[in-house]
Amino acid sequence: MQPANRPPEILGCSLATFNNTYIDLITPHIIKDEDSYMSCILGLSGKDITRNRFRAPREVTVVRDYDSFLSFTNWLPVKADLFIYPINNPIDTLRSSLYFKVPMSFHDGQPESRVSPHHIPNICLGAIGICTKVCLFFPRLSDPDRKDVELTFKEKKGLYEKGLMPVLCDLSPDTVTNWPVNYEGAQTRARKARGLYQYGTRPFPGARVRHLG
């Protein structure tokens, strides 16, 4: 029995693993990728956009409710517009445990290590729709003496001026014509009364999002 103050171990699986397992259960033969995708939609949402793949006389006795999905990738598998935060809201920084570990590399040439994401310096890059947030993790900024995973002012300034702005100008110069040229300018524009900030977003076209990775 688990101690009262110890969270239960959570065994996760990738969406691909879930999909393959689901397909194995409902079809006796190998199917095309597009059919696998359709079955994935059925398994995750209950929406049968092709046909009912359950073989009679099998009956559905379980209803799933997926509260959220988490994905850690080296690129953005997104086709929708990405709404980027010039100034991030610290409330979106991951500080709480997700109860699983993710392989990350801390140094060039060294193998990846499995770490808890909330121990890694991170920042919310932007949003997709109203339900999806995109965050960046920086394992090479990790340090045993570091007090907080929130990026420092210097790190945010470097990300904005040496990372984000040059990439956006190269990929979609028309979308950054109204962006401040430096991080201090972005802060000034976002600052409201009493030193508070308004964390607005700027759109980046979905057709180019995949190139951000």
Side-chain angles (χ1 to χ4, degrees):
M1 189 173 179
Q2 294 273 1
N5 61 347
R6 186 176 177 182
E9 181 181 5
I10 296 179
L11 301 177
C13 71
S14 69
L15 190 57
T17 300
F18 175 89
N19 191 22
N20 290 336
T21 302
Y22 174 75
I23 297 302
D24 288 341
L25 290 174
I26 63 173
T27 184
H29 54 78
I30 299 176
I31 61 176
K32 297 180 294 184
D33 289 343
E34 55 266 33
D35 289 338
S36 176
Y37 175 72
M38 300 300 182
S39 296
C40 184
I41 293 178
L42 172 61
L44 296 178
S45 67
K47 297 178 181 178
D48 185 359
I49 57 178
T50 54
R51 63 182 184 278
N52 192 342
R53 293 183 177 275
F54 289 103
R55 305 300 194 265
R58 187 173 180 182
E59 295 181 358
V60 179
T61 58
V62 177
V63 176
R64 299 187 183 93
D65 179 18
Y66 294 92
D67 179 72
S68 61
F69 281 94
L70 299 171
S71 175
F72 287 82
T73 68
N74 294 324
W75 60 286
L76 294 176
V78 173
K79 294 183 179 180
D81 289 349
L82 174 64
F83 292 84
I84 300 175
Y85 294 105
I87 301 295
N88 77 296
N89 190 340
I91 199 173
D92 291 325
T93 299
L94 179 64
R95 293 185 173 90
S96 302
S97 177
L98 300 177
Y99 302 109
F100 64 82
K101 296 185 177 182
V102 177
M104 295 187 184
S105 175
F106 290 86
H107 303 284
D108 286 331
Q110 291 189 0
E112 294 180 331
S113 303
R114 298 186 67 84
V115 295
S116 297
H118 70 294
H119 291 159
I120 304 300
N122 66 91
I123 189 172
C124 182
L125 173 67
I128 301 168
I130 61 174
C131 298
T132 303
K133 291 291 180 71
V134 176
C135 297
L136 303 178
F137 289 80
F138 302 91
R140 299 185 189 190
L141 293 180
S142 296
D143 187 278
D145 297 326
R146 188 174 184 122
K147 303 298 183 182
D148 192 1
V149 293
E150 176 77 15
L151 299 191
T152 64
F153 171 83
K154 182 178 180 180
E155 291 166 344
K156 291 179 181 179
K157 177 178 172 65
L159 175 62
Y160 184 97
E161 298 177 6
K162 298 180 181 180
L164 190 59
M165 283 299 291
V167 171
L168 295 182
C169 287
D170 181 56
L171 293 178
S172 184
D174 54 309
T175 64
V176 292
T177 54
N178 196 35
W179 283 57
V181 296
N182 55 41
Y183 188 68
E184 288 88 348
Q187 283 190 314
T188 299
R189 183 173 296 185
R191 189 176 289 114
K192 301 192 303 181
R194 301 179 182 177
L196 301 176
Y197 289 98
Q198 181 175 356
Y199 302 106
T201 60
R202 300 288 187 275
F204 185 78
R208 303 174 190 174
V209 168
R210 63 188 181 91
H211 297 293
L212 280 176

